[in-house]
Amino acid sequence: MMRGFDSIESMNGDELLVKRKKGSKKFVIGAAVIGVMFFLVGMLIGFFGHESEHAPSPATTKPEVLDPTQLIIQNVDVNFLQTLLKNFSSKARMAGTESGSELANMIRDMWASSGLDNVHLSTYKVLLSFPNQSDPNKVELVNKTTGKIVFTSNSFEPGLTTEDQNKSFISYNAFSPAGTVLGSIVYVNYGTVEDFQYLTQNLSMDLSKKIVIARYGIISASKKVYNAEQYNASAIVLYSDPADVNRDSERQSSESAYPNSWWLPKGGIQRDTVNYDYGDPDTPGYPSTNYNLPIDPSKRALTKIPCQPVSYSDALILLSNLSGSVSPEHWHGALPIEYRIGPGYENNSEIEVKVTVNNYLDKRVIKNVIGMIKGSEEPDRYIILGSHHDAWVYGTVDPQSGNAALSQAVEIFGHLLAKGFRPRRTVMFCSWDASEFGFIGSTEWVEENLQLISERSVAYLNVHSLVEGNFSLKAVSSPLLQDAMYTVAHQVPSPTKNVSTLYDLWLAQSKLYSSNEKEPSVSYSLWSGSDHEVFYQRAGVSCADLSFNFDFRKYPITTYPLHHSAYDNYFSYEHFNDPGLKYSKAVTQFWVLLANYLANAPLLPFKVTRFSAALENFITDLVHNYKEIWGQNNVQYDQLISAAKNFTEATICFEKTLLSEKELNKKPLKLRMYNDQIMQTERAFLIQQGLPSKPFSKNIVFTQSNSEPSNEKSFFPGISTTMYNIKNGKSQWNQLKHQIYLATLCLQSAATQLSLPGTCN
């Protein structure tokens, strides 16, 4: 439109008519000339006026273009994390208690205000285990003749700061049965299968009716109890040795420990669960819905011997002056004693140990908080982020650091949604309850939604301890997710000044452990440790568990020293784990960016050749270790090698096919097919019957059984554990052949599903 011209014409029309009425020829000519000039000027003005509607003036700024990556990086807020962390860990948040329920409701309300499409509580009534507040558990030294008690362990941890005063909590291990046991004591190191074998085979010791004492570390508390039970011990006492939780030179000095450092003080006590499996013990394999029928209580798969944790100051008294031979050197901890094995006490046969446990079982309601943003194009494909909100006491590291980061993720995705950015796939946020009791909240939810989760979930990304130390990123992951994590790590600013990105820091720290590392180290040991387990073992969902960790070369310990004690509080987190929360910020950025990447990439950024390379290495190791004995016993393994080769070839061909595809975005059905094939790769390694001794762990590659030795780097455990049993005298050759058959079948099935018509032929 020539709005400039129209305007000028309307303004000057009357003037031109007046001049014509005077009849002057000169004026007529002049008017004509002036009119032509106005006409030309009007055209020019109109032309440029028209152009100005489509071209911005130099002073006009361009409309804001939303960059989700930068928005995520910029909106992870340290102050937000600090506020939530203080609030979440201001009280003990044990599952099934009033304060635990209070936190679940608080999280629900916070998420609902963030703009998610849906937020709700997913509740279950489950079996939990609690200590008796009026009659606490204890370990005593008793004169068996006179009945005189000469020592009693502490049931509470002493308050060491103003935050700790009058806030002590009874120490116990959940699901330990109630009971009182009197007997002689035997030191069993970490309580691994190998430790018990040393005592029974090398020393010919009979552990029947003995009370054993083991230090935390290497394997889970539940495995220690399981092993003690298998060797007919009558009870087990657990403690944290200073070698594992206070490695300063002055280990017995109070100045070397909390509140002056991150080391566990001599009165600190670690709590845990001794539930053998995960999920509600009353409904194994099925969700604890109000219409489910619990099993007979006599058939619960719970430990049958009492278990009680004590501090290392109390363990010092229990272990001092034991009789018997000196233990092997690698059994020696850092207590100022000679680590003898026992049984009983030197020069005092009248003294015995008495373990009293008064725990009780109770049905309690637990509350998972579930939030969701529905995907714009693939609403039936889920990216799931999870943490848990229940803690043994304050649990600032485990789990509230991860729980605060999860709520930060909710805020950021809600902010993106408010700006009009809806993810391609559905993003779900899950804050689990009763995780400390054996991943009960997550297990019941997956069991209730198993078919849906198995069919629709792309990935589950877990964080329960955001920062245990400030050395390097620790990623425990499915091989399929490894390259996606590398891509995202390049986008995250480094929390340290000497390198630019989180990827660079991750790689540099990995090289300190192995100079040959060409990429950051990733562990494939996904079989235990947090709520990802049920997703991986039951549903076959690709998983990752993320945290920032300490330097294991400097601190060769299993976990951070204040783990599951009353001293894992905001004070210790702020002063020792992550001052300034800069590492918390980096892991949160990484977690949210990874979720956003997986939620929006049209073609899933999973690398199937990474998976086949890992499995081929595992099988090569198995054959190398057992080729000779298999040959001697007519165990056929050629088909296993052949299936592994087929799987490798199928993954290579599949990725070549993807590279050859053009404009997949314009072929939605084909894109969907490829993504489904990628998702099903993980599912191909689930076996319906599970492991021989652990039927609900169904991943044939990445699982451990209760009877497996402490080596946590073994894969294809159905094969490796059976071989371990065979070498220890059990005749399980038919079971071994069956496990090799199952591994072969899974490998071939995975190769076949990647070679469907339209991909590899």
Side-chain angles (χ1 to χ4, degrees):
M1 293 175 60
M2 297 285 198
R3 287 180 182 170
F5 175 77
D6 292 343
S7 177
I8 291 173
E9 182 182 53
S10 63
M11 286 175 64
N12 294 284
D14 290 341
E15 183 181 352
L16 291 174
L17 290 172
V18 168
K19 289 179 179 178
R20 286 192 192 101
K21 289 179 181 177
K22 292 184 177 178
S24 170
K25 185 176 181 181
K26 184 184 292 187
F27 279 101
V28 170
I29 294 172
V33 171
I34 292 170
V36 171
M37 290 177 62
F38 277 134
F39 178 84
L40 293 174
V41 171
M43 287 187 64
L44 291 172
I45 293 173
F47 174 80
F48 287 110
H50 177 70
E51 285 292 298
S52 68
E53 290 184 353
H54 300 277
S57 66
T60 304
T61 58
K62 293 183 179 180
E64 179 185 358
V65 177
L66 180 63
D67 181 353
T69 298
Q70 285 306 308
L71 187 145
I72 291 168
I73 293 292
Q74 294 167 5
N75 281 272
V76 172
D77 183 3
V78 166
N79 292 327
F80 183 90
L81 293 173
Q82 286 176 326
T83 300
L84 289 189
L85 201 50
K86 286 180 181 179
N87 198 357
F88 290 174
S89 61
S90 62
K91 300 179 183 179
R93 303 292 188 178
M94 188 182 293
T97 66
E98 183 178 347
S99 60
S101 178
E102 174 189 74
L103 181 55
N105 293 337
M106 184 192 309
I107 294 168
R108 175 201 57 196
D109 294 344
M110 184 191 315
W111 289 9
S113 67
S114 297
L116 303 188
D117 292 333
N118 178 272
V119 178
H120 65 275
L121 294 177
S122 175
T123 62
Y124 303 94
K125 194 169 186 178
V126 301
L127 187 72
L128 299 179
S129 169
F130 299 95
N132 189 320
Q133 297 290 335
S134 60
D135 193 5
N137 304 340
K138 54 195 171 185
V139 179
E140 299 169 307
L141 291 179
V142 182
N143 186 306
K144 63 181 180 181
T145 301
T146 66
K148 182 181 178 180
I149 297 172
V150 298
F151 163 77
T152 301
S153 66
N154 291 312
S155 300
F156 302 91
E157 293 162 283
L160 300 176
T161 71
T162 54
E163 293 182 359
D164 303 327
Q165 298 299 325
N166 301 317
K167 296 181 181 179
S168 296
F169 299 91
I170 293 178
S171 61
Y172 84 117
N173 279 336
F175 293 110
S176 166
T180 299
V181 176
L182 185 69
S184 56
I185 194 166
V186 175
Y187 175 57
V188 296
N189 193 28
Y190 287 109
T192 65
V193 171
E194 297 92 332
D195 293 336
F196 279 98
Q197 286 177 341
Y198 174 80
L199 294 173
T200 55
Q201 296 176 11
N202 295 43
L203 301 184
S204 300
M205 184 176 288
D206 182 5
L207 296 175
S208 297
K209 307 303 179 182
K210 300 294 190 299
I211 296 172
V212 298
I213 182 169
R215 48 178 170 157
Y216 280 112
I218 306 298
I219 60 174
S220 67
S222 61
K223 279 194 175 183
K224 297 174 193 293
V225 179
Y226 179 88
N227 292 338
E229 199 171 280
Q230 298 308 300
Y231 285 89
N232 300 312
S234 59
I236 181 170
V237 177
L238 300 178
Y239 80 101
S240 300
D241 196 281
D244 303 305
V245 295
N246 190 353
R247 297 180 66 86
D248 280 2
S249 57
E250 294 286 332
R251 292 187 180 98
Q252 302 311 303
S253 169
S254 60
E255 286 75 22
S256 69
Y258 173 90
N260 299 309
S261 78
W262 77 327
W263 296 117
L264 186 72
K266 61 183 180 181
I269 304 173
Q270 177 178 325
R271 298 148 182 82
D272 219 319
T273 182
V274 293
N275 188 359
Y276 286 155
D277 219 323
Y278 49 93
D280 182 2
D282 268 355
T283 60
Y286 299 94
S288 299
T289 56
N290 56 11
Y291 50 85
N292 195 354
L293 182 65
I295 62 172
D296 186 323
S298 65
K299 296 181 180 180
R300 291 168 177 160
L302 297 175
T303 178
K304 296 176 176 59
I305 63 173
C307 173
Q308 176 62 17
V310 298
S311 66
Y312 62 81
S313 64
D314 287 343
L316 174 64
I317 296 172
L318 295 172
L319 291 169
S320 293
N321 301 314
L322 281 179
S323 62
S325 59
V326 177
S327 65
E329 185 175 354
H330 68 277
W331 284 33
H332 296 179
L335 291 170
I337 58 171
E338 189 173 41
Y339 279 77
R340 290 184 175 272
I341 291 173
Y345 291 98
E346 193 173 32
N347 303 322
N348 199 338
S349 60
E350 294 296 303
I351 298 297
E352 287 191 324
V353 174
K354 183 180 180 180
V355 177
T356 302
V357 173
N358 296 312
N359 297 346
Y360 65 95
L361 299 171
D362 194 22
K363 287 279 194 177
R364 299 281 181 93
V365 173
I366 62 171
K367 298 179 177 181
N368 298 328
V369 188
I370 310 295
M372 180 188 299
I373 295 177
K374 189 176 180 180
S376 60
E377 296 184 47
E378 298 182 67
D380 63 336
R381 292 293 179 261
Y382 306 151
I383 309 299
I384 307 174
L385 291 79
S387 186
H388 71 92
H389 57 260
D390 70 298
W392 289 121
V393 192
Y394 304 114
T396 305
V397 174
D398 178 11
Q400 305 305 355
S401 61
N403 198 29
L406 180 62
S407 290
Q408 174 78 94
V410 168
E411 286 288 320
I412 290 173
F413 273 99
H415 187 50
L416 285 167
L417 190 62
K419 285 184 170 289
F421 188 87
R422 181 174 290 275
R424 178 188 182 94
R425 301 182 179 92
T426 292
V427 180
M428 300 184 69
F429 309 91
C430 305
S431 184
W432 309 115
D433 202 353
S435 177
E436 296 293 7
F437 286 83
F439 319 136
I440 292 179
S442 57
T443 299
E444 300 313 302
W445 188 78
V446 170
E447 287 175 342
E448 184 176 18
N449 301 284
L450 182 59
Q451 185 170 348
L452 200 67
I453 299 302
S454 182
E455 290 179 355
R456 299 185 178 187
S457 297
V458 173
Y460 174 77
L461 309 176
N462 190 76
V463 173
H464 72 283
S465 295
L466 194 67
V467 175
E468 294 190 8
N470 46 32
F471 179 70
S472 181
L473 184 70
K474 179 184 177 183
V476 183
S477 171
S478 161
L480 289 177
L481 285 169
Q482 188 167 348
D483 291 272
M485 291 193 295
Y486 291 158
T487 298
V488 170
H490 279 291
Q491 301 171 340
V492 179
S494 170
T496 63
K497 295 180 180 179
N498 56 329
V499 293
S500 60
T501 70
L502 182 61
Y503 179 92
D504 298 325
L505 178 62
W506 188 7
L507 177 59
Q509 308 300 41
S510 298
K511 286 183 175 180
L512 294 176
Y513 285 86
S514 175
S515 58
N516 296 325
E517 291 283 0
K518 296 182 180 179
E519 57 188 9
S521 60
V522 173
S523 171
Y524 299 149
S525 305
L526 269 167
W527 45 69
S528 64
S530 195
D531 294 283
H532 59 263
E533 183 165 357
V534 65
F535 286 88
Y536 206 59
Q537 299 299 339
R538 303 269 184 101
V541 177
S542 299
C543 293
D545 185 56
L546 311 171
S547 64
F548 223 86
N549 226 307
F550 48 84
D551 187 350
F552 289 96
R553 299 168 310 147
K554 184 177 180 181
Y555 305 119
I557 56 182
T558 305
T559 186
Y560 66 100
L562 301 179
H563 184 237
H564 287 180
S565 75
Y567 307 123
D568 178 6
N569 54 32
Y570 186 79
F571 174 88
S572 62
Y573 193 88
E574 184 181 43
H575 284 82
F576 311 123
N577 294 89
D578 190 14
L581 273 70
K582 60 181 181 178
Y583 297 96
S584 301
K585 179 177 180 178
V587 184
T588 305
Q589 289 170 329
F590 179 69
W591 190 18
V592 181
L593 281 174
L594 181 59
N596 187 65
Y597 182 33
L598 298 179
N600 289 290
L603 180 67
L604 292 176
F606 292 6
K607 197 169 183 180
V608 292
T609 52
R610 181 78 73 173
F611 201 100
S612 61
L615 267 57
E616 199 159 25
N617 287 336
F618 302 157
I619 290 170
T620 299
D621 288 344
L622 281 173
V623 172
H624 173 76
N625 292 335
Y626 302 125
K627 182 177 181 179
E628 184 176 349
I629 190 172
W630 284 355
Q632 294 169 356
N633 290 274
N634 195 33
V635 176
Q636 302 297 318
Y637 56 87
D638 290 346
Q639 292 298 319
L640 177 65
I641 296 173
S642 176
K645 182 180 179 182
N646 291 342
F647 180 52
T648 297
E649 290 175 350
T651 60
I652 293 171
C653 181
F654 183 80
E655 290 189 353
K656 284 182 178 178
T657 301
L658 293 181
L659 287 174
S660 68
E661 285 285 358
K662 305 297 182 185
E663 297 183 320
L664 262 180
N665 281 340
K666 297 181 180 179
K667 307 171 185 176
L669 294 180
K670 205 166 194 180
L671 178 62
R672 177 83 163 190
M673 179 189 75
Y674 287 139
N675 282 336
D676 283 353
Q677 286 177 278
I678 292 169
M679 286 172 56
Q680 291 304 317
T681 300
E682 202 87 64
R683 276 71 155 174
F685 293 93
L686 297 184
I687 51 174
Q688 185 175 0
Q689 63 269 50
L691 282 187
S693 62
K694 206 168 184 181
F696 296 119
S697 292
K698 301 179 181 298
N699 191 303
I700 199 169
V701 183
F702 305 98
T703 313
Q704 272 196 326
S705 67
N706 281 325
S707 60
E708 191 165 354
S710 59
N711 176 17
E712 291 199 353
K713 292 186 178 179
S714 60
F715 299 94
F716 285 102
I719 297 174
S720 59
T721 302
T722 304
M723 280 306 303
Y724 183 87
N725 293 336
I726 287 172
K727 289 190 294 182
N728 283 280
K730 294 183 179 180
S731 180
Q732 294 185 347
W733 291 105
N734 286 336
Q735 178 174 296
L736 173 68
K737 293 174 183 178
H738 184 63
Q739 291 300 313
I740 291 175
Y741 158 75
L742 290 174
T744 304
L745 177 64
C746 288
L747 283 161
Q748 194 57 52
S749 297
T752 300
Q753 76 90 15
L754 283 176
S755 305
L756 292 173
T759 53
C760 296
N761 298 303

